[in-house]
Amino acid sequence: SSGINAECPYGRGNLRATLESWPDTKRKPKVLIVCPTGSNPSGANIPENHRQEIYDIVCEHDLLIIEDDPYYFINYGKPLKTFLHYDSEGRVIRLDSLSKVLCPGFRLGFCTAPPKLVTYMVRHYSVSLLNSCNLSQTVAGAYFEKVGIDGFKEHTQEITQYYKSQRDAIISALDLHMADLATWIVPEAGMFVWLKLKDIEDASSFAELAMDNGVAFVPGSAFVTEDVKSPYLRLAFSLVPEKQLEEAVMRLASSIRESTNVASIARYGA
């Protein structure tokens, strides 16, 4: 693994080239893990035509796909066909999450996969985690018995509208206060914004300063496997009340400017 490629969220061309040029001396991968909706941290969706192409590549090279899709129900555009939709060869293990839409403490989800693969997964699960939290399963089961699938769909639509309002608020604040400091992609799903700083080589260099100013973020270096500096950072907009998002962005902008000034003084002298 080489971690994410911040400049190319989809990378299907790289996937084909990588598999076709795989050295004979190395064991070839058996599984491809994809996060197709609101990929963390970029917030990008894999377009439907790319999904079909990726699935075709996987079939050509005899891989399985783990479709890890926790933000499927928090998609701000039209619903997209899943990799499971394209699965005609029994290659897709689809994972959905309830923790993003019902209760963060649940850490509970559900799996859709070919019966043979599910059998092996259950065997492995029974000798590792044994079973998910009984209380979470009981509460989730009671919820679905009460509201049904239609009620759950209505709930997720309401949740999506809430997060969309949060997203729009933070993007407006970024446009207003940070256009000269960073670039970003408007997230298509999920609850994060992925920024690239213009004048700072390593976002982690001012993380403590930002914390002192009352704002926290995750440096981009946390999302790559190599030990490298990264000008990227991830902001979350799920928890902070909408009215406080602009204040948070203003504090982040102030921290960046302060850090840049300190670095300039250190480099060139007062």
Side-chain angles (χ1 to χ4, degrees), residues 152-168:
F152 177 68
K153 289 181 178 178
E154 182 178 344
H155 170 72
T156 56
Q157 290 170 359
E158 293 174 356
I159 290 292
T160 299
Q161 284 303 118
Y162 167 78
Y163 282 126
K164 185 177 184 297
S165 179
Q166 293 284 102
R167 181 204 65 174
D168 293 345

mmCIF file of all heavy atoms in Angstrom, residues 152-168:
data_model
loop_
_atom_site.group_PDB
_atom_site.id
_atom_site.type_symbol
_atom_site.label_atom_id
_atom_site.label_comp_id
_atom_site.label_asym_id
_atom_site.label_seq_id
_atom_site.Cartn_x
_atom_site.Cartn_y
_atom_site.Cartn_z
ATOM 1 N N PHE A 152 -36.312 4.264 8.188
ATOM 2 C CA PHE A 152 -34.857 4.449 8.177
ATOM 3 C C PHE A 152 -34.437 5.337 7.009
ATOM 4 O O PHE A 152 -33.584 6.224 7.167
ATOM 5 C CB PHE A 152 -34.170 3.085 8.081
ATOM 6 C CG PHE A 152 -32.670 3.165 7.980
ATOM 7 C CD1 PHE A 152 -31.911 3.604 9.054
ATOM 8 C CD2 PHE A 152 -32.022 2.790 6.808
ATOM 9 C CE1 PHE A 152 -30.523 3.672 8.964
ATOM 10 C CE2 PHE A 152 -30.651 2.856 6.708
ATOM 11 C CZ PHE A 152 -29.898 3.298 7.783
ATOM 12 N N LYS A 153 -35.019 5.125 5.837
ATOM 13 C CA LYS A 153 -34.703 5.961 4.679
ATOM 14 C C LYS A 153 -35.067 7.424 4.951
ATOM 15 O O LYS A 153 -34.307 8.346 4.603
ATOM 16 C CB LYS A 153 -35.450 5.450 3.443
ATOM 17 C CG LYS A 153 -34.922 4.137 2.895
ATOM 18 C CD LYS A 153 -35.703 3.719 1.653
ATOM 19 C CE LYS A 153 -35.156 2.428 1.072
ATOM 20 N NZ LYS A 153 -35.942 1.989 -0.119
ATOM 21 N N GLU A 154 -36.224 7.640 5.558
ATOM 22 C CA GLU A 154 -36.638 9.010 5.881
ATOM 23 C C GLU A 154 -35.656 9.648 6.861
ATOM 24 O O GLU A 154 -35.290 10.826 6.729
ATOM 25 C CB GLU A 154 -38.048 8.988 6.479
ATOM 26 C CG GLU A 154 -38.592 10.363 6.812
ATOM 27 C CD GLU A 154 -40.007 10.318 7.363
ATOM 28 O OE1 GLU A 154 -40.667 9.266 7.212
ATOM 29 O OE2 GLU A 154 -40.435 11.327 7.958
ATOM 30 N N HIS A 155 -35.228 8.858 7.831
ATOM 31 C CA HIS A 155 -34.269 9.363 8.819
ATOM 32 C C HIS A 155 -32.941 9.742 8.144
ATOM 33 O O HIS A 155 -32.380 10.810 8.435
ATOM 34 C CB HIS A 155 -34.023 8.296 9.890
ATOM 35 C CG HIS A 155 -32.887 8.620 10.806
ATOM 36 N ND1 HIS A 155 -32.954 9.599 11.770
ATOM 37 C CD2 HIS A 155 -31.633 8.080 10.889
ATOM 38 C CE1 HIS A 155 -31.796 9.660 12.422
ATOM 39 N NE2 HIS A 155 -30.981 8.753 11.909
ATOM 40 N N THR A 156 -32.430 8.887 7.278
ATOM 41 C CA THR A 156 -31.152 9.186 6.629
ATOM 42 C C THR A 156 -31.261 10.403 5.720
ATOM 43 O O THR A 156 -30.290 11.151 5.567
ATOM 44 C CB THR A 156 -30.646 7.972 5.827
ATOM 45 O OG1 THR A 156 -31.637 7.562 4.865
ATOM 46 C CG2 THR A 156 -30.326 6.806 6.749
ATOM 47 N N GLN A 157 -32.420 10.615 5.118
ATOM 48 C CA GLN A 157 -32.613 11.820 4.309
ATOM 49 C C GLN A 157 -32.543 13.074 5.172
ATOM 50 O O GLN A 157 -31.952 14.088 4.777
ATOM 51 C CB GLN A 157 -33.955 11.748 3.580
ATOM 52 C CG GLN A 157 -33.986 10.705 2.462
ATOM 53 C CD GLN A 157 -35.381 10.463 1.918
ATOM 54 O OE1 GLN A 157 -36.358 11.066 2.381
ATOM 55 N NE2 GLN A 157 -35.491 9.580 0.938
ATOM 56 N N GLU A 158 -33.104 13.011 6.372
ATOM 57 C CA GLU A 158 -33.044 14.138 7.301
ATOM 58 C C GLU A 158 -31.609 14.373 7.766
ATOM 59 O O GLU A 158 -31.151 15.527 7.854
ATOM 60 C CB GLU A 158 -33.955 13.891 8.505
ATOM 61 C CG GLU A 158 -35.437 13.861 8.164
ATOM 62 C CD GLU A 158 -36.292 13.481 9.357
ATOM 63 O OE1 GLU A 158 -35.726 13.160 10.426
ATOM 64 O OE2 GLU A 158 -37.538 13.511 9.237
ATOM 65 N N ILE A 159 -30.902 13.287 8.056
ATOM 66 C CA ILE A 159 -29.502 13.402 8.469
ATOM 67 C C ILE A 159 -28.667 14.029 7.358
ATOM 68 O O ILE A 159 -27.809 14.889 7.601
ATOM 69 C CB ILE A 159 -28.945 12.010 8.843
ATOM 70 C CG1 ILE A 159 -29.569 11.516 10.143
ATOM 71 C CG2 ILE A 159 -27.424 12.047 8.956
ATOM 72 C CD1 ILE A 159 -29.152 12.302 11.369
ATOM 73 N N THR A 160 -28.909 13.601 6.129
ATOM 74 C CA THR A 160 -28.162 14.136 4.993
ATOM 75 C C THR A 160 -28.387 15.635 4.841
ATOM 76 O O THR A 160 -27.451 16.396 4.571
ATOM 77 C CB THR A 160 -28.558 13.408 3.694
ATOM 78 O OG1 THR A 160 -28.253 12.019 3.830
ATOM 79 C CG2 THR A 160 -27.804 13.961 2.503
ATOM 80 N N GLN A 161 -29.620 16.077 5.010
ATOM 81 C CA GLN A 161 -29.918 17.505 4.912
ATOM 82 C C GLN A 161 -29.200 18.282 6.012
ATOM 83 O O GLN A 161 -28.698 19.394 5.772
ATOM 84 C CB GLN A 161 -31.427 17.743 4.994
ATOM 85 C CG GLN A 161 -32.175 17.382 3.713
ATOM 86 C CD GLN A 161 -31.624 18.142 2.509
ATOM 87 O OE1 GLN A 161 -31.122 17.554 1.551
ATOM 88 N NE2 GLN A 161 -31.705 19.469 2.557
ATOM 89 N N TYR A 162 -29.129 17.704 7.201
ATOM 90 C CA TYR A 162 -28.420 18.357 8.306
ATOM 91 C C TYR A 162 -26.940 18.524 7.960
ATOM 92 O O TYR A 162 -26.376 19.620 8.076
ATOM 93 C CB TYR A 162 -28.570 17.548 9.592
ATOM 94 C CG TYR A 162 -27.616 17.976 10.681
ATOM 95 C CD1 TYR A 162 -27.872 19.116 11.438
ATOM 96 C CD2 TYR A 162 -26.456 17.250 10.936
ATOM 97 C CE1 TYR A 162 -26.991 19.523 12.431
ATOM 98 C CE2 TYR A 162 -25.566 17.660 11.922
ATOM 99 C CZ TYR A 162 -25.832 18.790 12.670
ATOM 100 O OH TYR A 162 -24.938 19.196 13.635
ATOM 101 N N TYR A 163 -26.308 17.436 7.524
ATOM 102 C CA TYR A 163 -24.878 17.505 7.204
ATOM 103 C C TYR A 163 -24.617 18.388 5.988
ATOM 104 O O TYR A 163 -23.575 19.047 5.906
ATOM 105 C CB TYR A 163 -24.317 16.098 6.977
ATOM 106 C CG TYR A 163 -24.063 15.327 8.241
ATOM 107 C CD1 TYR A 163 -24.610 14.068 8.440
ATOM 108 C CD2 TYR A 163 -23.268 15.860 9.251
ATOM 109 C CE1 TYR A 163 -24.387 13.364 9.613
ATOM 110 C CE2 TYR A 163 -23.030 15.163 10.428
ATOM 111 C CZ TYR A 163 -23.598 13.918 10.601
ATOM 112 O OH TYR A 163 -23.358 13.227 11.766
ATOM 113 N N LYS A 164 -25.536 18.411 5.043
ATOM 114 C CA LYS A 164 -25.376 19.281 3.875
ATOM 115 C C LYS A 164 -25.381 20.746 4.306
ATOM 116 O O LYS A 164 -24.593 21.564 3.799
ATOM 117 C CB LYS A 164 -26.473 19.035 2.845
ATOM 118 C CG LYS A 164 -26.311 19.820 1.557
ATOM 119 C CD LYS A 164 -27.408 19.466 0.552
ATOM 120 C CE LYS A 164 -27.175 20.180 -0.769
ATOM 121 N NZ LYS A 164 -27.242 21.661 -0.642
ATOM 122 N N SER A 165 -26.255 21.083 5.250
ATOM 123 C CA SER A 165 -26.272 22.445 5.772
ATOM 124 C C SER A 165 -24.963 22.772 6.477
ATOM 125 O O SER A 165 -24.420 23.879 6.321
ATOM 126 C CB SER A 165 -27.457 22.606 6.738
ATOM 127 O OG SER A 165 -27.490 23.899 7.282
ATOM 128 N N GLN A 166 -24.444 21.806 7.234
ATOM 129 C CA GLN A 166 -23.149 21.984 7.894
ATOM 130 C C GLN A 166 -22.039 22.173 6.864
ATOM 131 O O GLN A 166 -21.169 23.045 7.004
ATOM 132 C CB GLN A 166 -22.845 20.768 8.766
ATOM 133 C CG GLN A 166 -23.746 20.572 9.964
ATOM 134 C CD GLN A 166 -23.424 21.522 11.101
ATOM 135 O OE1 GLN A 166 -24.104 22.517 11.306
ATOM 136 N NE2 GLN A 166 -22.368 21.226 11.829
ATOM 137 N N ARG A 167 -22.059 21.337 5.835
ATOM 138 C CA ARG A 167 -21.042 21.442 4.777
ATOM 139 C C ARG A 167 -21.087 22.805 4.106
ATOM 140 O O ARG A 167 -20.053 23.460 3.896
ATOM 141 C CB ARG A 167 -21.254 20.354 3.724
ATOM 142 C CG ARG A 167 -20.221 20.394 2.603
ATOM 143 C CD ARG A 167 -20.725 19.760 1.327
ATOM 144 N NE ARG A 167 -21.843 20.489 0.725
ATOM 145 C CZ ARG A 167 -22.371 20.182 -0.447
ATOM 146 N NH1 ARG A 167 -21.914 19.151 -1.135
ATOM 147 N NH2 ARG A 167 -23.383 20.888 -0.936
ATOM 148 N N ASP A 168 -22.282 23.243 3.738
ATOM 149 C CA ASP A 168 -22.416 24.531 3.055
ATOM 150 C C ASP A 168 -21.923 25.679 3.932
ATOM 151 O O ASP A 168 -21.318 26.636 3.443
ATOM 152 C CB ASP A 168 -23.872 24.761 2.649
ATOM 153 C CG ASP A 168 -24.350 23.787 1.589
ATOM 154 O OD1 ASP A 168 -23.498 23.123 0.974
ATOM 155 O OD2 ASP A 168 -25.577 23.688 1.378
#
